[in-house]
Amino acid sequence: LGTLSAVVVWFLTWLVWMRSAQSVAVFFLKRKSPPYHYLAESLYRVNMSVDWFNSAWGHWFLLYGSPIYNSILRLMGTSIDGELLFNGSEAYDFHALTFRDKTIIDESQVDSHIQVGSNLSVRPSVLCGVLHEGCLSFAGSRCEGTHTTEQGPLRPIFGTSDDNHSGTINVLV
């Protein structure tokens, strides 16, 4: 009973720390005018480090595929339109992720950010269908289709087929 209690307290502590780090980072990202520019990107990188540490040591992986994990994603700011089966490897940028109905994430990494050089871009991502093992979604990912659409394996998902942007866009959520 003591070990189980310790795991639950550890999990809740990291959940609160992760939610706090995300709230501060997103607050500054929305105010990305000088003098907040460098502070916003630095805090967002701290947020991504906290996300990684939590996925590795926060015991979230024990809840993958369960309705409890979907509730945690909603608590972190993710929009889930219906049913989601998440068995992914990592998820970042919870505030900018949207999962359509009947989405299956199978050992994929889902993000809403990309960094090219010193340019950090955070854009909303909408994912649907089945993302097979090794898929990577980046800033501005828009999976087109229905819940029967399959992506992957080992496929990067960036933008849409009607996306006429060249290079990264620094539009922040």
Side-chain angles (χ1 to χ4, degrees):
L1 186 62
T3 304
L4 181 62
S5 299
V7 169
V8 169
V9 168
W10 177 261
F11 173 81
L12 291 175
T13 302
W14 276 101
L15 179 66
V16 169
W17 170 235
M18 192 168 164
R19 179 65 180 164
S20 302
Q22 177 181 290
S23 297
V24 170
V26 171
F27 173 81
F28 280 103
L29 275 178
K30 289 182 178 181
R31 289 150 187 82
K32 198 176 173 180
S33 60
Y36 300 119
H37 176 69
Y38 296 108
L39 183 60
E41 289 190 4
S42 296
L43 286 172
Y44 205 79
R45 287 183 186 96
V46 168
N47 176 49
M48 288 186 284
S49 296
V50 170
D51 288 357
W52 174 84
F53 188 86
N54 195 35
S55 68
W57 297 102
H59 304 300
W60 281 27
F61 61 88
L62 296 174
L63 302 174
Y64 284 175
S66 72
I68 296 171
Y69 189 74
N70 293 353
S71 298
I72 292 168
L73 290 177
R74 284 186 179 103
L75 177 70
M76 294 300 295
T78 301
S79 175
I80 301 174
D81 303 337
E83 298 174 2
L84 167 68
L85 178 59
F86 185 92
N87 189 30
S89 60
E90 294 176 5
Y92 298 98
D93 316 308
F94 300 103
H95 65 282
L97 287 174
T98 299
F99 295 104
R100 298 286 181 227
D101 190 24
K102 296 183 179 29
T103 301
I104 299 172
I105 308 296
D106 182 22
E107 288 300 319
S108 300
Q109 181 173 328
V110 291
D111 303 330
S112 290
H113 76 273
I114 191 167
Q115 182 163 353
V116 178
S118 63
N119 184 17
L120 175 68
S121 295
V122 181
R123 296 173 58 197
S125 294
V126 179
L127 304 170
C128 70
V130 179
L131 276 71
H132 287 287
E133 184 174 3
C135 282
L136 300 169
S137 72
F138 297 106
S141 299
R142 298 276 190 265
C143 290
E144 300 166 343
T146 64
H147 64 277
T148 59
T149 305
E150 296 191 27
Q151 310 286 338
L154 302 172
R155 178 174 182 239
I157 304 167
F158 183 74
T160 64
S161 60
D162 63 341
D163 199 357
N164 58 5
H165 304 302
S166 59
T168 57
I169 311 290
N170 209 6
V171 178
L172 300 174
V173 177

